[in-house]
Amino acid sequence: MPHVVTQSCCSDGSCVFACPVNCIHPTPDEPDFLTAEMLHIDPAACVDCGACVSACPVDAIAPQSRLRPDQQIFVPINAAYYADDDATMRPWLAPVTPAPVVTDRGLRVAIVGSGPAAMYAADELLTQPGVRVNIFDRLPVPYGLVRSGVAPDHPKTKRVTELFDTIAGQEGLEFYLNVEVGRDISHRELLDHHHAVIYAYGAATDRPLNIPGADLPGSSSATEFVAWVNGHPDYRDWSVDLSHRRAVIIGNGNVALDVARILTADPDSLATTDISDVALAALRNSRVEEVVIVGRRGPAQSAFTLPELIGLSTYPDATVTLSGGDRELVAAAVSGADGDLAAKLEVLSTMAAAAEPGRRAINLRYLLSPTEVLGSSSVTGVRFVENAIDPATGTISATDRLVDLDAGLVLRSIGYRGRALPGVPFDPDRAVVPNVGGRALDRVGGVPETGVYAVGWIKRGPSGFIGTNKSCSQETVGALVDDFNRGVLAAPRVGDSHLGALIAGRVGDRIDRHGWQRIDRSERARGLGVRGRVKYLTAAELVAAAERDRPRGKGRSGLVDRLMTAGR
Ligand code: NAP
């Protein structure tokens, strides 16, 4: 009985390299790896050994015999990927990119940000003996969007933090949490203390929607909503008006689907997750009955991925509807589609034509571009213009037909956007650190900035899945190690012990990896075995949790820390 890749696939490719018969594709070296919406197991070649199950960090793979009814759809989806494929033409094993060999001891690297890209980069560096990695994050807790971006009702995806905890437990790694680069320590100072700095700080803001009314009360961004439900300390006091019947989400990527599910979820099922208690209380009082997800292009250009659409199609808490002209658009797009796109359209065609009375609904709409958020003192609706689409190119053009949707809440979900850090090169058009293969350039089209690298969304823009960052990190770390081995990187001017002293002098509440472990244990304990964790929602609470049960003699204040570190 072959194994099957299911919804929570993160595309990190660990399964690919664990497979002894190279039956999981696309592999990271194959051309469609960066665009594939999931990995697929060839049922004809799978030898059922289960090595992929152990390797997968997010529990996405199961033997076919153990799939739940709602997962059965992944059997033909995995198989269809190999419809025109000849297994005998494949190499015996997926080609492994060898870890870069550091030829000299003592490489010291700072990583700014602690999300997936940072953790995969640290892991890649720490395969070599004698390498030291210091990870900086302005928040008191690590793991970036895995903690504050992945929807709380996706606990399997969050399991990747177990892998990150293992990486963080390695001897050569230290966390400098609650330390903001650009405020508490400068780019120049990081370079003084390390051979190289890898920027991995992601895309912390959202793309703006420049239409009239976009700033009205009741109009916010999906990224803020997601941060709020996930207990991001900056959003503890954020508020959202859930007193109206309908909410509209602009954009139809995976974030839009996450937000729609949370807005329509049964609060009792959310209460078993690690959702913020503040958000849960607000959602218990919500009057939202319908969420409309609006795409400006057609069904074939939907930005959500096939696995996430399948998850939505079996969502128990709301009816997902596709009505009228949108059903016709799906039917028209099916002809000529193949692979995962054909499967996506097929799933869309099974959506209900109308909402079931008495149930919450998620309505998918297409070919509508927002032109104005309506309302005077707060949002009352959104005005859209209907688009025509060229099916061959997916290009849209506005018609003269307008559509108004009443709503009390409008969330734009049109993608994340990176921002500049003081002293670090930045491309304002693409909102990334300009780079070639992870080597930062001093400006767009310029020359390499010695010792400066980028990885993850601040390197390539806000796209891909958690695991996409693994191969992205391998490329950046490969470039860094190559530069180090060639003697391009200047040795740190200052010893590592001075870094602790410098930070202790500026940040009284810096949290190290032991502090994070104490927060982690405490939050899990608060879950009482019913919830994975109950998050602390403010920086002060997190700092207090990091200090609690700190071993005696290690100092409890910034002053003691400073004295101790300086004396090392
Ligand atoms: P996204 O996938 O880039 O989707 C953005 C959406 O906004 C698209 O529908 C886009 O339409 C639309 N859009 C952009 N500008 C617009 C405008 N001016 N007016 C109207 N619509 C506009 O972004 P995302 O949902 O934030 O996701 C970011 C990344 O995270 C993606 O790679 C996603 O797969 C990933 N993610 C994954 C998961 C998961 O695996 N479970 C969960 C969340 C996020 P066009 O296509 O027409 O540009």
Side-chain angles (χ1 to χ4, degrees), residues 9 149 154 157 207-209 223 250-256 258 294-297 301-305 308 368-370 396 413-416 457 462-465:
C9 177
H154 277 174
T157 308
R207 284 193 196 127
L209 185 64
T223 57
I250 296 169
N252 64 9
N254 283 338
V255 170
D258 287 347
V294 186
R296 60 181 171 179
R297 297 194 284 158
Q301 292 78 31
S302 300
F304 50 70
T305 56
E308 289 307 308
L368 295 175
S369 283
I396 46 172
S413 183
I414 59 174
Y416 287 79
W457 280 5
S463 67
F465 315 104

Side-chain angles (χ1 to χ4, degrees), residues 39 54 72 82 106 120 123-124 262 320 334 347 364 395 424 439 459 480 493 507 511-512 558 560:
L39 304 182
S54 315
Q72 291 295 335
Y82 298 93
Y120 281 121
D123 195 29
E124 190 71 7
I262 300 299
V320 185
V334 167
V347 175
L364 302 173
T395 314
V424 183
R439 281 188 183 93
K459 167 185 173 185
L480 186 159
R493 287 200 310 112
V507 184
I511 293 172
D512 63 11
V560 178

Side-chain angles (χ1 to χ4, degrees), residues 13 97 138 157 169 203 296 310 333 336 343 366 388 405 494 509 536 543 547:
T97 312
R138 73 176 187 86
T157 308
R296 60 181 171 179
I310 290 172
Y366 287 99
L405 286 179
V494 197
D509 298 324
Y536 293 108
V543 168
E547 286 291 318

Side-chain angles (χ1 to χ4, degrees), residues 358-408:
R359 285 192 83 201
R360 285 179 165 168
I362 298 172
N363 183 216
L364 302 173
R365 298 284 303 262
Y366 287 99
L367 291 184
L368 295 175
S369 283
T371 58
E372 185 178 353
V373 178
L374 305 171
S376 49
S377 54
S378 64
V379 167
T380 57
V382 196
R383 175 158 298 157
F384 295 91
V385 62
E386 262 185 44
N387 295 321
I389 189 163
D390 175 348
T393 61
T395 314
I396 46 172
S397 52
T399 68
D400 55 7
R401 292 185 294 278
L402 298 178
V403 174
D404 286 356
L405 286 179
D406 294 341

